């Protein structure tokens, strides 16, 4: 995208998980044209009026945005409007140009935050929430912006947020793990690994809340509005950001592959997804800069896996394997959810079109088979689940060797 970050992004030390600890919910009145459109997005999309409203939007300056949180909120609003604008017609009426009044401020803000100008996971999950009551928690959570789909849409974003929040203890344990490796603290290391395993198990439990909120047809609809314009048959050249670039640009859409938490645990546990490593590396460019730096610092540090293997300690091996096993189980559950709420509804959609005597529109087929991040998502999910399982089998084999010797 345009350049490097010019904003001092809050330290990860401020919160034990990667979610934003305090959310800005309002912008100065000057930005009411953005906030009003974003707040009414479901209605405008369903009525096929969004593109008309965007055409009326004035070109606003970004100079009145103050601080990181206002920038994140403005980017969130413009990101939702952008995705709705591009995919208002599903796969049938794609656009080639993002209007100047939307493209220019969106790209300017994205440059300041060192993020690409497309809605990413860190926007729609980590920054898209608020509390109705400042003293409440889960029962008081709500989202700031949405696409058509009602409560199912809300549930998808909030459950994803709760999954991230459940990882807090595991993220908090990482500095303890690194310090234990450096100082050969086997007891503290084993305890910290137990914290990581427990937090990943809690992520899976939080994921189960999806069944309370979701309806398969609405989840598939949300999947459509998160679709990328990179490696996408429907937008082979990408999207022109009017007033910013003369040629089209291609960017991946938001997906769980951009979860800083999941990639952090992969790096911590030394899990190498050989078939998907290049793609996952690319996804780090879609994370906030502070998250990328955290993961890179962890990757350049001492290897937890090699340390555990070198000790030959049965307790450490067991604690390590519980972490890997929990992560594999989480990914298996993700596959189950994706099958129930995206793959099966997409198949029903195609079947219904055929029963009505019409051919299946190619756009529907493409959007149902590819993830929002541009991958063949079921193949991708199964690949990373399988490599996670192999990492567990690998360390078990070495442990058996130690026992034999």
């Amino acid at each position: 995208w345009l350049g490097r970050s010019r904003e001092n992004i809050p330290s990860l030390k401020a919160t034990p998980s990667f979610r934003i600890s305090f959310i800005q919910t309002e912008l100065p009145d000057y930005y009411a044209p953005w906030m009003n459109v974003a707040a009414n997005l479901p209605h405008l999309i369903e009525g096929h009026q969004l593109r008309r409203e965007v055409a009326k939007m004035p070109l606003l300056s970004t100079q009145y945005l103050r601080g990181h949180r206002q920038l994140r909120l403005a980017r969130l609003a413009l990101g939702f409007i952008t995705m709705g604008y591009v995919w208002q017609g599903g796969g049938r009426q794609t656009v080639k140009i993002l209007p100047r009044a939307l493209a220019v401020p969106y790209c300017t803000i994205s440059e300041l935050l060192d993020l690409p100008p497309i809605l990413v996971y860190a926007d729609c999950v980590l920054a898209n929430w608020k509390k109705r009551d400042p003293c409440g928690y889960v029962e008081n959570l709500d989202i700031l912006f949405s696409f058509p789909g009602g409560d199912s849409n809300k549930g998808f974003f909030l459950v994803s947020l709760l999954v991230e929040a459940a990882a807090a203890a595991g993220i908090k344990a990482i500095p303890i793990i690194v310090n234990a490796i450096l100082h050969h603290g086997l007891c503290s290391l084993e305890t910290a690994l137990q914290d990581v395993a427990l937090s990943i198990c809690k992520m899976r439990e939080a994921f189960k809340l999806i069944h309370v909120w979701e309806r398969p047809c609405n989840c598939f609809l949300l999947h459509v509005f998160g679709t990328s314009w990179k490696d996408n048959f429907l937008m082979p050249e990408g999207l022109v950001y009017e007033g910013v670039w003369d040629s089209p640009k291609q960017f991946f859409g938001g997906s769980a592959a951009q979860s800083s938490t999941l990639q952090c645990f992969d790096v911590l546990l030394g899990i190498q997804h050989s078939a998907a490593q290049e793609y996952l590396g690319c996804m780090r460019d879609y994370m906030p800069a502070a998250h990328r730096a955290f993961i890179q610092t962890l990757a350049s540090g001492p290897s937890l896996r090699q340390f555990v293997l070198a000790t030959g300690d049965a307790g450490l091996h067991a604690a390590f394997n519980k972490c890997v096993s929990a992560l594999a189980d989480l990914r298996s559950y993700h596959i189950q959810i994706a099958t129930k709420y995206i793959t099966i509804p997409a198949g029903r959609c195609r079947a219904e079109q055929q029963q009505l005597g019409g051919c299946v529109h190619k756009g529907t087929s493409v959007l149902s088979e590819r993830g929002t991040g541009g991958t063949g998502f079921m193949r991708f999910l199964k690949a990373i689940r399988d490599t996670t399982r192999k990492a567990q089998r690998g360390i078990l084999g070495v442990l058996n060797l130690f026992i034999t010797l």
Side-chain angles (χ1 to χ4, degrees):
W1 42 101
L2 297 179
R4 303 302 299 171
S5 173
R6 299 174 187 171
E7 180 70 9
N8 183 22
I9 297 177
S11 169
L12 289 178
K13 295 179 181 178
T15 176
S17 68
F18 286 110
R19 63 185 172 85
I20 296 178
S21 58
F22 174 78
I23 295 294
Q24 184 86 24
T25 59
E26 296 180 357
L27 291 179
D29 291 342
Y30 175 77
Y31 298 104
W34 296 351
M35 298 298 282
N36 290 339
V37 171
N40 291 293
L41 209 55
H43 173 73
L44 293 172
I45 292 173
E46 290 172 339
H48 295 276
Q49 298 296 313
L50 178 58
R51 290 174 183 170
R52 186 175 301 177
E53 288 299 311
V54 169
K56 299 176 186 177
M57 279 173 44
L59 176 58
L60 301 180
S61 170
T62 60
Q63 66 177 322
Y64 305 111
L65 295 170
R66 295 289 182 264
H68 177 80
R69 291 189 174 93
Q70 284 195 7
L71 286 171
R72 285 297 297 267
L73 178 58
R75 177 185 150 82
L76 179 68
L78 294 175
F80 266 85
I81 297 171
T82 295
M83 302 309 284
Y85 185 89
V86 172
W87 298 114
Q88 176 178 282
R92 296 176 182 270
Q93 300 172 339
T94 55
V95 297
K96 295 183 178 180
I97 300 175
L98 194 67
R100 183 185 304 268
L102 186 52
V104 171
Y106 191 29
C107 289
T108 300
I109 294 168
S110 296
E111 177 186 14
L112 292 171
L113 294 173
D114 197 12
L115 286 166
I118 191 170
L119 193 71
V120 300
Y121 185 86
D123 297 320
C124 60
V125 173
L126 303 185
N128 187 31
W129 64 278
K130 63 181 179 180
K131 288 184 179 181
R132 294 194 189 96
D133 178 357
C135 298
Y137 184 51
V138 177
E139 66 279 6
N140 290 295
L141 288 177
D142 202 353
I143 56 176
L144 298 176
F145 306 117
S146 183
F147 297 115
D151 282 347
S152 290
N153 202 323
K154 173 181 175 180
F156 178 87
F157 291 130
L158 288 183
V159 170
S160 298
L161 174 68
L162 293 174
V163 170
E164 292 287 332
I171 300 298
K172 192 175 180 179
I174 290 176
I176 299 173
I177 290 172
V178 173
N179 186 65
I181 294 172
L182 294 175
H183 296 90
H184 211 77
L186 301 189
C187 290
S188 61
L189 176 56
E190 184 173 344
T191 300
L193 286 175
Q194 291 168 350
D195 290 339
V196 171
L198 181 59
S199 73
I200 298 173
C201 290
K202 287 182 177 179
M203 291 172 71
R204 187 177 184 277
E205 289 302 306
F207 211 164
K208 292 180 180 179
L209 293 172
I210 199 78
H211 301 297
V212 177
W213 291 95
E214 283 297 345
R215 292 182 178 180
C217 57
N218 290 336
C219 191
F220 171 59
L221 182 62
L222 177 61
H223 174 79
V224 171
F225 285 106
T227 304
S228 69
W229 39 90
K230 182 176 177 63
D231 298 336
N232 189 334
F233 173 84
L234 299 174
M235 301 177 67
E237 295 181 350
L239 183 68
V240 172
Y241 291 75
E242 187 179 43
V244 183
W245 295 293
D246 294 329
S247 58
K249 299 296 179 181
Q250 298 186 356
F251 297 106
F252 290 113
S255 78
Q258 296 166 6
S259 167
S260 305
T261 298
L262 292 175
Q263 289 220 28
C264 193
F265 286 147
D266 275 338
V267 171
L268 174 69
L269 299 171
I271 298 172
Q272 298 288 329
H273 301 288
S274 54
Q277 201 63 37
E278 181 178 353
Y279 174 74
L280 289 171
C282 178
M283 289 299 97
R284 292 184 192 176
D285 292 335
Y286 291 74
M287 298 175 185
H291 297 195
R292 296 198 303 267
F294 186 92
I295 294 172
Q296 184 56 44
T297 299
L298 182 61
S300 62
S303 168
L304 168 63
R305 181 183 179 86
Q306 292 303 318
F307 181 83
V308 171
L309 288 173
T311 64
D313 185 277
L316 277 183
H317 279 79
F320 182 92
N321 269 325
K322 284 182 180 178
C323 295
V324 179
S325 178
L327 191 56
D329 288 345
L330 175 64
R331 285 176 162 147
S332 292
Y333 195 70
H334 190 182
I335 292 170
Q336 294 176 33
I337 296 300
T339 300
K340 180 176 181 178
Y341 292 107
I342 298 177
T343 305
I344 293 176
R348 287 174 181 165
C349 180
R350 291 193 297 268
E352 288 171 1
Q353 288 183 358
Q354 291 173 335
Q355 288 174 359
L356 292 172
C359 62
V360 178
H361 187 262
K362 188 169 281 188
T364 302
S365 179
V366 170
L367 292 177
S368 65
E369 293 170 359
R370 300 184 69 80
T372 51
T375 60
F377 73 99
M378 289 303 291
R379 184 175 64 253
F380 170 76
L381 292 178
K382 290 177 180 178
I384 61 172
R385 187 270 314 275
D386 292 345
T387 51
T388 304
R389 285 177 173 172
K390 288 179 181 177
Q392 182 185 17
R393 289 197 297 269
I395 200 165
L396 279 172
V398 175
L399 176 58
N400 289 334
L401 179 60
F402 272 115
I403 293 174
T404 303
L405 293 174

